[in-house]
Amino acid sequence: MKIKKVVELLNAKVVSGHDHLEAEVEFCFASDLMSDVLTVETENLLLLTGLANLQTIRTSEMSDISKIIFVRKKNATEEMIRLAAENEMILIECDYSMFKTSGILFSAGLKPVY
Amino acid sequence: MMHFEFHVEGGNFLKAGAASSQLKKILKQLNVDPKTIKRVVVAMYEAEVNIVAHAYKGDIYIDIDTKKIEITLIDEGPGIPDIDLAMKQGFSTASSVVREMGFGAGMGLPNIKNNSDELTITSEVNKGTTVKFATYLNQ
């Protein structure tokens, strides 16, 4: 699925990395715990998280995750956007809960990592 | 043989991961295979976050040759009284601040082990901890 489609389904807002909207994504992982994110080995992963701080971006950088959706109306800070841009990531803000977001994306065909 | 050193400040979550980020850039430049890079930088980041989360300060020494990447993290801090217990998944002494940053679930040390080929941890209570691990190249 194209990221553009994900944004549309979630009625979400892209805050960084607009030029990556055509990128494809196959798997999704939802977690507020970065320790868990760091154990995932799946490639081309979309991260759903309600944790919006600099370590969310750092964790994604180390895990080769370049697509992040912040759920529950969490916003990315300027510093997060700067670091994300440096690492060519797309950051998306979504007003829905983690459950609703997961449900929509699962129904649309995104796969779980396990 | 290449050698790199980084300094880590305890408690400074704004800078946590800066050294790991530098290492990732270096390994990319050296054309190390992406899967190996991910293993090394995830292990290094876990260890770097541990210094930020638990210690007062620390130094990271990285040695890279054609066979392996060896990383030694030496910190000054409270130390680990029971290393076997600290290695157990789910055991954590992390503060609420650390947990707010998305860590402190007691998964860091087991994940370093999972992402490295050699790991030794030595520690002295009220003095500090040394974590040394290596990841082999060209597997």
Side-chain angles (χ1 to χ4, degrees), chain B residues 12-84:
Chain B
N12 189 347
F13 268 100
L14 285 177
K15 285 192 189 162
S20 304
S21 179
Q22 286 299 311
L23 176 64
K24 187 172 184 183
K25 289 185 179 89
I26 291 165
L27 297 179
K28 267 187 177 171
Q29 276 177 0
L30 293 173
N31 277 322
V32 174
D33 130 79
K35 281 202 166 123
T36 307
I37 294 182
K38 184 173 168 182
R39 289 189 81 213
V40 174
V41 299
V42 163
M44 161 99 163
Y45 179 58
E46 293 272 20
E48 185 181 352
V49 166
N50 274 348
I51 295 179
V52 176
H54 298 285
Y56 315 128
K57 60 179 178 177
D59 289 296
I60 305 176
Y61 304 92
I62 301 170
D63 289 293
I64 306 171
D65 64 23
T66 53
K67 292 201 174 93
K68 65 181 179 182
I69 299 164
E70 199 169 64
I71 302 177
T72 308
L73 303 99
I74 302 172
D75 75 44
E76 283 176 33
I80 305 172
D82 185 340
I83 292 170
D84 287 339

Side-chain angles (χ1 to χ4, degrees), chain A residues 34 36 38 40 55 61 64, chain B residues 13 21 24 38 45 102 107:
Chain A
M34 294 303 109
D36 270 335
L38 285 164
V40 176
Q55 294 314 309
E61 178 190 357
D64 292 333
Chain B
F13 268 100
S21 179
K24 187 172 184 183
K38 184 173 168 182
Y45 179 58
M107 295 167 72

Side-chain angles (χ1 to χ4, degrees), chain A residues 10-30:
Chain A
L10 300 174
N11 199 16
K13 185 179 154 201
V14 178
V15 291
S16 181
H18 293 79
D19 44 343
H20 302 299
L21 280 167
E22 294 295 326
E24 288 282 340
V25 64
E26 189 179 358
F27 294 95
C28 185
F29 187 70

Side-chain angles (χ1 to χ4, degrees), chain A residues 32-47:
Chain A
D32 286 353
L33 189 64
M34 294 303 109
S35 305
D36 270 335
V37 176
L38 285 164
T39 64
V40 176
E41 289 170 12
T42 312
E43 285 173 32
N44 197 9
L45 194 67
L46 169 67
L47 174 65

